[in-house]
Amino acid sequence: MITLDQSIRAALCSLVIVLLPPGTAMAETAAGPSTPLTGPAAPVSDPVPITLGAARDAAMGANIDVIHARQARAAAAAARIIAAARPNPVLSYEATQLRSRVLTPQPSRTADQIVRIDQPIELGGKRRERIAAAASGYAAAGQ
């Protein structure tokens, strides 16, 4: 598993390679002829100095592993909220025709209608355990 420190180091190395002066790493492409896909070669100029803090900020903002870790923490926070929610009640409606219209002339008497509301109740500490598991996932995502 790649740690956050290793991800930052890899991003810093990539950033240093990109920010090298064109004369050192890019000598072949800067001196080469222009092509229809790349256009004319860019002029060689002095590199812009970058500080370690700026490099770390750039790495933290653009590193895919860091972005994934932030999203995992947000997903774990959402899972914690969902785990704490109680189950929703269930509303059901049923109409059953028990009598024929021949025997009972009133239209309201031809069907039995049932409206039902069910509220699931969790037993055995399942809710408490689900909340504890979600809190553990949130704590692990924060590491």
Side-chain angles (χ1 to χ4, degrees):
M1 181 174 195
I2 297 175
T3 64
L4 182 61
D5 188 37
Q6 291 171 338
S7 298
I8 291 172
R9 287 182 187 182
L12 285 174
C13 288
S14 300
L15 191 60
V16 167
I17 291 171
V18 170
L19 294 177
L20 281 177
T24 55
M26 306 293 280
E28 297 84 18
T29 57
S34 64
T35 64
L37 295 177
T38 60
V44 177
S45 63
D46 291 332
V48 178
I50 185 167
T51 64
L52 181 60
R56 282 188 180 163
D57 291 341
M60 293 295 282
N63 189 338
I64 192 72
D65 293 327
V66 174
I67 293 169
H68 182 266
R70 286 183 190 140
Q71 290 175 346
R73 184 157 174 94
R80 200 170 67 171
I81 293 169
I82 291 169
R86 296 193 184 276
N88 290 330
V90 178
L91 174 69
S92 59
Y93 172 78
E94 181 180 352
T96 307
Q97 186 168 355
L98 297 176
R99 296 180 274 298
S100 68
R101 288 182 177 236
V102 177
L103 297 177
T104 56
Q106 300 92 0
S108 64
R109 296 306 225 161
T110 60
D112 285 340
Q113 299 176 359
I114 301 170
V115 177
R116 178 176 163 170
I117 298 175
D118 295 319
Q119 175 65 52
I121 299 173
E122 296 174 306
L123 301 175
K126 292 178 188 174
R127 182 170 187 260
R128 181 181 61 240
E129 294 299 322
R130 189 176 64 243
I131 292 170
S136 297
Y138 181 75
Q143 301 295 328

